[in-house]
Amino acid sequence: MTGMLLITGGAGFIGSHVVEAALGAGMRVRVLDSLRPDVHPVRPDGWTPTAVCGDAEFLVGDVTDPSVAARAVRGTDAVLHLAAKVGLGVDFSDAPDYMHTNASGTAVLLRAMTRAGVSRFVLASSMVVYGAGVSCDERGRLATPHRTAADLAAGRFEPVSPRTGSPVSPALTGEDDGTDPRNVYAASKLAQEHLAAAWARETGGRAALLRYHNVYGPRMPRDTPYAGVAAIFRSSLAAGRAPQVFEDGGQRRDFVHVRDVAAANLAALAWTQDPRASAPPARAFNIGSGSPRTVGDLADALAGALGGPAPQIAGGYRLGDVRHITASVTRARYELDWRAEIDFADGIRELASTRFRRPVPPP
């Protein structure tokens, strides 16, 4: 790639690692980031855009603004779109912001790309589009049933098969399994995917839809309602408090290191230029480690690495949470020639020893 690469959200947790990876690969990079205060609330002394994004060209602006999007894509060959409002949020009052930032922002960006003749697009999507994914009972695979508030309140955390009446077993969810967004954030991410697919079909472009699983690593945001569970546990331990683990700690997830995710973005970028001949114009890829762990495993590993108090099983629950969601990463291995390289234990030790990224506010 000899032209300019646009990375939206490049000042963020994952985006900044993608910027580093792209610059390290010799690419010319332009970053667009709004530096919105709920993501970047604190500015360190002496902060400059270069401190966040190295030698990349840096634009401060909101992707939902058509004039900003048009300026950002001008002269570029491809776009990695990571700008988004993430996490479950505070409550349903966040819904308009999620849809405006994520869905409308993607629509504005894709229109700008179409007008500028940019035909390669990589989207940061999420495993949340699957809802609870798939499970197995004695009769085979099935969409994981919803859990009821009554079961959760009684401490019955495993979903129950409607076919057998027994708890189901978690299975690896593949990209062709059905989607079932169960919160506003998930709905906004699936809307982004649908927009990207429609754009690719109508314009002849190529879109890789990367469904990130639980990303962790250096520069995670801290102490916000939108932080991931690894950041929440680490903040508790840094303050000398025991991590509070919901349910019984047996929830299964796929924790993938942020540098592996950055490498996946570059692999997907290459795919948009030279996809398999039979590939559709838009293609989803699970981006995970392929080695599921429980939330309790994560809390134990962080507590051990930090020498902090042992995790406490809080027994509470959140209705928006799913019990298990783990990824089949076969498609990414074969079609992107990508796999996660960073071992979980090594990644957790690094997370324990690194300082959290201190986010930056708008200048």
Side-chain angles (χ1 to χ4, degrees):
M1 179 174 176
T2 58
M4 180 74 75
L5 171 65
L6 173 64
I7 302 176
T8 71
F13 163 44
I14 300 174
S16 63
H17 286 275
V18 176
V19 170
E20 284 184 353
L23 291 172
M27 299 178 184
R28 296 172 55 216
V29 176
R30 176 182 297 153
V31 171
L32 173 65
D33 201 296
S34 67
L35 301 179
R36 53 183 291 166
D38 58 339
V39 180
H40 303 279
V42 179
R43 181 192 296 180
D45 292 340
W47 178 84
T48 65
T50 301
V52 180
C53 295
D55 295 328
E57 177 185 338
F58 193 93
L59 301 178
V60 177
D62 194 323
V63 71
T64 64
D65 183 328
S67 63
V68 170
R71 179 186 173 199
V73 302
R74 191 175 301 130
T76 64
D77 288 342
V79 175
L80 304 184
H81 183 34
L82 290 93
K85 185 179 177 73
V86 302
L88 290 180
V90 178
D91 54 39
F92 200 80
S93 64
D94 277 340
D97 192 17
Y98 272 110
M99 297 309 294
H100 176 68
T101 301
N102 297 354
S104 295
T106 299
V108 169
L109 179 63
L110 290 169
R111 181 178 65 176
M113 290 172 57
T114 302
R115 291 175 172 175
V118 182
S119 61
R120 300 165 59 203
F121 185 66
V122 178
L123 173 68
S125 187
S126 171
M127 54 86 177
V128 296
V129 301
Y130 295 120
V134 294
S135 301
C136 293
D137 64 11
E138 292 87 342
R139 300 183 187 178
R141 286 166 66 92
L142 74 163
T144 302
H146 286 240
R147 300 186 294 175
T148 68
D151 280 344
L152 292 170
R156 295 187 291 268
F157 300 126
E158 297 295 341
V160 173
S161 169
R163 302 188 297 202
T164 68
S166 299
V168 297
S169 300
L172 297 180
T173 299
E175 292 87 349
D176 292 331
D177 288 312
T179 54
D180 182 21
R182 297 190 179 189
N183 54 59
V184 172
Y185 172 58
S188 74
K189 298 308 285 185
L190 189 57
Q192 288 183 297
E193 290 195 12
H194 287 320
L195 286 164
W199 166 83
R201 286 191 298 269
E202 293 181 20
T203 67
R206 285 283 178 178
L209 318 174
L210 303 187
R211 292 173 176 171
Y212 301 163
H213 282 249
N214 291 73
V215 185
Y216 74 95
R219 304 180 205 145
M220 292 191 78
R222 66 180 188 187
D223 304 330
T224 81
Y226 313 99
V229 65
I232 293 169
F233 287 166
R234 189 186 181 283
S235 288
S236 295
L237 287 160
R241 301 188 303 269
Q244 300 297 300
V245 181
F246 282 174
E247 301 186 14
D248 59 1
Q251 309 94 302
R252 289 166 63 87
R253 298 290 188 269
D254 188 317
F255 298 100
V256 59
H257 195 279
V258 67
R259 287 197 298 276
D260 282 328
V261 173
N265 274 266
L266 298 194
L269 180 65
W271 178 90
T272 63
Q273 189 168 29
D274 187 24
R276 290 191 173 191
S278 60
R283 187 80 159 149
F285 298 93
N286 283 333
I287 303 302
S289 71
S291 299
R293 309 273 177 169
T294 69
V295 172
D297 290 339
L298 173 68
D300 287 336
L302 275 169
L306 283 163
Q312 295 179 352
I313 302 300
Y317 62 89
R318 297 188 301 183
L319 283 174
D321 287 345
V322 299
R323 178 62 175 174
H324 308 293
I325 181 67
T326 53
S328 169
V329 295
T330 301
R331 180 181 292 179
R333 287 177 178 172
Y334 284 98
E335 297 188 25
L336 301 184
D337 193 24
W338 170 89
R339 68 174 62 217
E341 301 288 347
I342 297 174
D343 178 74
F344 177 76
D346 292 338
I348 292 299
R349 281 192 293 269
E350 180 190 25
L351 178 62
S353 62
T354 192
R355 295 178 63 185
F356 272 176
R357 177 177 63 89
R358 288 182 60 82
V360 293

